[in-house]
Amino acid sequence: MAFSSKVSTSVVLLLAISLVASLCLVVSAGNFYQDMDITWGDGRAKILNNGNLLTLSLDKTSGSGFQSKNQYLFGKIDMQLKLVPGNSAGTVTAYYLSSQGPTHDEIDFEFLGNLSGDPYILHTNVFSQGKGNREQQFYLWFDPTADFHTYSILWNPQSIIFSVDGTPIREFKNAESIGVPYPKNQPMRIYSSLWNADDWATRGGLVKTDWTKAPFTASYRNFNANACVWSNGKSSCTSSSKSSASNSWFSQQLDSTSQGRMKWVQKNYMIYNYCTDVKRFPQGLPQECKMS
């Protein structure tokens, strides 16, 4: 018995060491010094912990933001965020992919601030060829200010999948076959910003930002882009690399289990879906809404 308990203790220790090692690997997966440029905020955005942590802050004078050094044309993008705690009414933390120009493409996560005790609203949208108006909004099933959570965008030629902690919450399928433009030709950078939007962000602008609570701060870590980098008019992904095991995301689609999890989220936590807003579209719902 004594021997077996020592063996089991050793196994547990080995497992614990292995887990810690794997966590360390995850933590060092991305480095913000290498991956991101702080673009505005006059020092309100900071890269800390040897490049492993990035913080954005907002005060009455200014917010702040950053963007990726690389442009991407398809990829699986992961970022862990911890949102502004407490009374964050009026603030918006935006994290998104976007190209430039009047016919830009864009894939959005936006976190709309709240009064203390009220849930954040996660706002999602997809623009293709400059046209958006494809909003879906959700409450989250956890407190996004208490700890870091992973927000992911999978973008490939077949679909765009939004996920939270690995659970898909939304899918925007390629519907070019019925005349809906799909983001597939314009490389996009990752952008993030923390800014004041108290004219609309909380209860349609009824609740204003309480500047006595400033500065407001959101934190980022564990950025990872398993993606096709676009540079000098060329993609880093070749035909062979797209089909490799490490790039399985390029052809990934939701299996039945993932579809079930997404339906669970949409049934229990979705609070707005443009595809059911018939008053907004009196001439008929957008074409992609008619797809099953």
Side-chain angles (χ1 to χ4, degrees):
M1 289 291 291
F3 176 74
S4 64
S5 67
K6 285 181 181 176
V7 170
S8 61
T9 302
S10 300
V11 169
V12 169
L13 279 171
L14 283 170
L15 287 171
I17 291 167
S18 173
L19 177 61
V20 170
S22 66
L23 287 172
C24 290
L25 285 172
V26 171
V27 168
S28 60
N31 185 290
F32 288 115
Y33 286 122
Q34 297 171 5
D35 298 326
M36 302 295 172
D37 288 320
I38 290 171
T39 48
W40 63 286
D42 294 326
R44 291 172 180 81
K46 294 182 172 63
I47 297 175
L48 307 164
N49 294 4
N50 298 315
N52 290 321
L53 181 70
L54 191 155
T55 60
L56 294 182
S57 290
L58 162 70
D59 57 34
K60 199 168 186 177
T61 304
S62 176
S64 51
F66 65 87
Q67 70 182 42
S68 62
K69 294 179 186 290
N70 288 326
Q71 297 184 80
Y72 306 97
L73 189 60
F74 303 123
K76 185 176 185 299
I77 311 295
D78 303 304
M79 183 81 84
Q80 289 194 323
L81 279 75
K82 183 162 68 170
L83 299 179
V84 175
N87 181 357
S88 57
T91 72
V92 173
T93 305
Y95 161 59
Y96 59 103
L97 287 164
S98 183
S99 61
Q100 298 297 308
T103 59
H104 76 292
D105 296 334
E106 188 170 315
I107 305 168
D108 291 339
F109 276 115
E110 287 188 303
F111 303 90
L112 310 185
N114 59 18
L115 286 168
S116 298
D118 290 343
Y120 260 82
I121 291 175
L122 171 53
H123 175 98
T124 66
N125 204 354
V126 176
F127 287 74
S128 52
Q129 294 295 307
K131 181 181 178 296
N133 300 324
R134 299 187 177 102
E135 300 91 347
Q136 289 184 359
Q137 295 183 338
F138 305 82
Y139 288 142
L140 294 165
W141 50 96
F142 53 82
D143 179 357
T145 73
D147 204 350
F148 287 90
H149 292 268
T150 304
Y151 302 91
S152 305
I153 294 168
L154 173 66
W155 169 37
N156 65 27
Q158 295 80 41
S159 63
I160 295 164
I161 299 168
F162 297 78
S163 297
V164 178
D165 289 337
T167 296
I169 64 169
R170 176 179 185 178
E171 180 180 29
F172 182 79
K173 292 181 179 179
N174 185 332
E176 287 178 307
S177 61
I178 57 172
V180 180
Y182 184 79
K184 66 172 189 178
N185 297 316
Q186 301 186 70
M188 299 197 254
R189 291 188 196 276
I190 297 158
Y191 296 88
S192 191
S193 56
L194 175 56
W195 49 290
N196 179 43
D198 68 2
D199 55 334
W200 65 270
T202 306
R203 295 183 59 206
L206 293 175
V207 184
K208 301 300 182 182
T209 305
D210 181 355
W211 293 112
T212 66
K213 302 293 193 292
F216 304 98
T217 301
S219 303
Y220 301 72
R221 72 180 189 190
N222 289 358
F223 165 69
N224 188 62
N226 190 353
C228 302
V229 176
W230 187 264
S231 180
N232 299 318
K234 292 183 179 179
S235 171
S236 63
C237 295
T238 62
S239 297
S240 57
S241 69
K242 288 173 185 175
S243 59
S244 70
S246 62
N247 285 343
S248 60
W249 59 265
F250 197 85
S251 57
Q252 184 178 335
Q253 299 185 58
L254 292 177
D255 59 19
S256 58
T257 302
S258 296
Q259 287 174 353
R261 291 164 72 197
M262 183 172 71
K263 286 176 182 174
W264 173 81
V265 171
Q266 293 183 350
K267 178 183 177 182
N268 292 286
Y269 296 98
M270 180 185 281
I271 57 172
Y272 179 79
N273 181 5
Y274 77 108
C275 276
T276 60
D277 192 347
V278 291
K279 289 183 180 178
R280 182 179 174 190
F281 301 102
Q283 306 303 316
L285 292 170
Q287 282 291 100
E288 67 270 16
C289 297
K290 299 165 188 174
M291 295 178 69
S292 57

